[in-house]
């Protein structure tokens, strides 16, 4: 049976945007545009009591958790309480999975799914700022920090904020087809499907080293990204043997010299693409990749997007 009923479980405090994503996709009557109606239910553990929300506002949910008992989809938006949900909320999630219903989380809502035990053995995601915390808290979960959403069985988890839109439209597409998902996306004035993943939004700052030995070398590398760098040359600058330098570099930065400089070149390329009118070829030369082809290769590996698409989406306004 196609998705018809949606139960959103609110926890105090409520993240308004993430709740709004669910309301916008499933809670608005768009039957005039050929979108099937959804029985949209807003539930909470203590119905009728005001829940805190962003900006000093409050939200009142009129339905209890029992309203989620037969829903085709149980959705968990972000909340500070999502990190330590009540036993009653966890049981709602478990029951939904056990009866074969869909379960979808937005942003930090994934922690509620983890606490309920339904992420064990599943690919999942959350906001990139919380991905390591999720993986640490639930080591049996297969956390993918790069994607906008993850779909494993009947469980869908999304990354931060707007990625919830992507996850919801993905579910609509799976249940009702691309035409319906496209109609909702058009009414929301959003893309029905976004390319790339969270990597395009993650900064890669210079790692803080545990010692002062490589600090000057790292700074020199940053100031000379347009130049070629070899382990032998960098080792001489650090007054070390090549083997010692390579070992120390990994110990202090957590990665190899080659990967470190590649990441920094991509980060600098991102800045130039966002802030300047330089051509792709010139950006490639300025950051040390030498050619547009090599820039596209490494840029796509690090961000999931081509430089041209990244510039289109992230270009700073004039």
């Amino acid at each position: 049976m196609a998705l018809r009923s949606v139960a959103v479980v609110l926890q105090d405090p409520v993240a308004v945007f993430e709740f709004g994503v669910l309301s916008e996709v499933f809670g608005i009557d768009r039957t005039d545009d050929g979108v099937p109606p959804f029985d949209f239910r807003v539930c909470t553990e203590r119905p009728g009591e005001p829940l805190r929300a962003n900006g000093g506002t409050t939200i009142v949910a009129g339905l209890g958790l029992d309203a989620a008992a037969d829903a085709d989809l149980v959705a968990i938006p972000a909340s500070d309480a999502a990190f330590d949900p009540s036993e009653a909320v966890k049981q709602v999630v478990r029951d939904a999975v056990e009866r074969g219903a869909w379960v979808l989380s937005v942003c930090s809502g994934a922690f509620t799914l983890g606490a309920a035990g339904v992420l064990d053995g599943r690919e999942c995601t959350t906001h990139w700022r919380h991905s390591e915390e999720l993986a640490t808290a639930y080591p049996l979960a297969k956390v993918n920090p790069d994607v906008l959403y993850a779909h494993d069985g009947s469980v869908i988890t999304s990354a931060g904020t707007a990625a919830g839109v992507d996850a919801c439209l993905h579910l609509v597409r799976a249940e009702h087809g691309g035409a319906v998902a496209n109609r909702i996306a058009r009414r929301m004035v959003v893309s029905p499907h976004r390319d790339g993943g969270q990597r395009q939004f993650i900064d890669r700052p210079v790692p803080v080293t545990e010692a002062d030995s490589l600090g000057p070398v790292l700074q020199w590398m940053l100031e000379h990204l347009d130049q070629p760098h070899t382990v032998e040359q960098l080792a001489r600058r650090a007054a070390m043997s090549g083997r010692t330098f390579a070992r120390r570099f990994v110990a202090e930065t957590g990665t190899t010299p080659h990967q470190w400089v590649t990441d920094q070149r991509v980060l600098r390329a991102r800045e130039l693409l966002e802030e300047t009118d330089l051509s792709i070829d010139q950006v490639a030369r300025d950051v040390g990749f030498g050619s547009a082809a090599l820039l596209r290769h490494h840029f796509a590996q690090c961000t999931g997007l081509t430089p041209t698409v990244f510039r289109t989406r992230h270009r700073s306004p004039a």
Side-chain angles (χ1 to χ4, degrees):
M1 180 179 295
L3 173 65
R4 297 296 182 189
S5 55
V6 178
V8 178
V9 177
L10 297 185
Q11 302 177 82
D12 190 357
V14 178
V16 174
F17 186 96
E18 286 78 359
F19 170 50
V21 165
L22 296 163
S23 299
E24 184 71 23
V25 175
F26 299 110
I28 295 179
D29 184 350
R30 294 193 174 95
T31 52
D32 62 332
D33 204 18
V35 176
F38 296 106
D39 175 7
F40 187 71
R41 313 165 186 174
V42 182
C43 317
T44 190
E45 196 166 353
R46 292 181 294 277
E49 294 185 14
L51 303 171
R52 293 169 295 161
N54 308 101
T57 60
T58 57
I59 293 176
V60 177
L63 298 176
L65 296 180
D66 58 325
D70 63 348
D72 300 324
L73 165 65
V74 172
I76 310 292
S79 170
D80 288 346
F83 296 87
D84 186 23
S86 70
E87 186 58 39
V89 169
K90 289 188 287 186
Q91 194 59 49
V92 167
V93 173
R94 295 190 196 105
D95 290 344
V97 172
E98 288 176 5
R99 70 173 184 272
W102 289 101
V103 172
L104 183 150
S105 66
V106 181
C107 194
S108 64
F111 284 83
T112 292
L113 274 57
V118 304
L119 295 185
D120 291 355
R122 297 184 191 269
E123 182 182 5
C124 59
T125 194
T126 188
H127 193 290
W128 58 267
R129 294 185 64 182
H130 300 307
S131 58
E132 289 188 11
E133 183 180 357
L134 183 66
T136 300
Y138 305 106
L140 296 181
K142 301 175 182 178
V143 180
N144 186 341
D146 292 336
V147 296
L148 295 175
Y149 60 85
H151 175 180
D152 193 326
S154 63
V155 176
I156 298 175
T157 50
S158 78
T161 351
V165 176
D166 300 287
C168 290
L169 291 177
H170 168 75
L171 177 54
V172 171
R173 189 179 302 111
E175 286 284 288
H176 294 284
V180 172
N182 290 345
R183 290 184 190 118
I184 296 175
R186 185 171 60 249
R187 289 280 290 268
M188 293 175 63
V189 196
V190 299
S191 172
H193 179 75
R194 287 194 294 168
D195 297 321
Q198 295 195 75
R199 288 173 294 172
Q200 61 186 296
F201 305 105
I202 302 173
D203 286 331
R204 293 171 179 260
V206 179
V208 177
T209 59
E210 297 177 358
D212 296 330
S213 58
L214 294 185
V217 176
L218 295 178
Q219 187 61 41
W220 184 86
M221 292 168 71
L222 283 176
E223 294 171 355
H224 299 84
L225 287 175
D226 59 329
Q227 299 180 17
H229 300 296
T230 67
V231 170
E232 291 74 20
Q233 291 170 335
L234 296 171
R236 286 196 296 270
R237 181 169 290 276
M240 301 177 188
S241 69
R243 181 174 299 180
T244 299
F245 176 82
R247 185 172 61 249
R248 186 76 60 80
F249 198 99
V250 172
E252 293 191 16
T253 69
T255 189
T256 65
H258 173 74
Q259 188 59 55
W260 189 91
V261 76
T262 297
D263 288 345
Q264 299 308 316
R265 283 172 171 159
V266 170
L267 179 57
R268 178 58 180 154
R270 285 176 35 169
E271 295 171 352
L272 293 177
L273 292 168
E274 290 178 353
E275 300 169 4
T276 75
D277 294 320
L278 293 176
S279 68
I280 302 300
D281 286 316
Q282 186 60 56
V283 170
R285 290 192 293 270
D286 285 357
V287 302
F289 283 127
S291 70
L294 198 56
L295 170 61
R296 282 192 290 269
H297 171 75
H298 289 295
F299 200 91
Q301 281 196 326
C302 288
T303 70
L305 300 176
T306 67
T308 300
V309 171
F310 180 89
R311 169 172 269 171
T312 300
R313 294 186 180 179
H314 297 272
R315 179 65 185 271
S316 300

